[in-house]
Amino acid sequence: RVKPPRVSEDTQKTRDDERRRILEQELADETKQLAQAKEQLTAQEAVRSGNERNYERYLERVQPYRDAVASHERNVDAIKREIANLK
């Protein structure tokens, strides 16, 4: 059985630092997208079209915006967990 080659401590630290930097950038980007999605949702919830007398039509129109917010929230949480798991 062949052992994988050992990586020097400095090399591993460099890799970990780079990974943390990338994750922090992804977190910043995802946080910005979440804020934009929340703004869009708020704007859409404030508007009721004339053809939306039926509340179901309103919900159908707004649901994609709610889904986008939820998706970005999950992404932010996942990135935060990944950063927390780094050494």
Side-chain angles (χ1 to χ4, degrees):
R1 189 172 155 160
V2 179
K3 290 184 179 181
R6 293 269 309 154
V7 176
S8 75
E9 197 171 307
D10 289 342
T11 301
Q12 188 61 48
K13 181 172 179 4
T14 302
R15 288 178 184 174
D16 291 344
D17 290 346
E18 179 67 10
R19 182 156 187 246
R20 178 179 298 279
R21 188 190 62 72
I22 290 169
L23 286 171
E24 288 173 349
Q25 182 60 51
E26 287 179 6
L27 179 61
D29 292 344
E30 197 63 39
T31 301
K32 188 186 305 181
Q33 290 175 9
L34 173 60
Q36 290 171 345
K38 284 182 176 182
E39 286 176 15
Q40 290 174 343
L41 174 60
T42 301
Q44 290 298 317
E45 286 177 333
V47 174
R48 285 291 284 271
S49 301
N51 68 347
E52 291 178 342
R53 295 183 205 281
N54 180 343
Y55 190 62
E56 282 300 313
R57 286 188 180 163
Y58 167 78
L59 291 178
E60 286 174 13
R61 181 178 58 81
V62 173
Q63 191 59 47
Y65 296 93
R66 290 181 178 165
D67 292 344
V69 168
S71 175
H72 290 299
E73 286 173 340
R74 284 190 305 272
N75 291 346
V76 166
D77 290 342
I79 294 169
K80 284 181 178 178
R81 276 194 309 276
E82 215 170 317
I83 289 172
N85 288 334
L86 291 177
K87 295 177 184 176

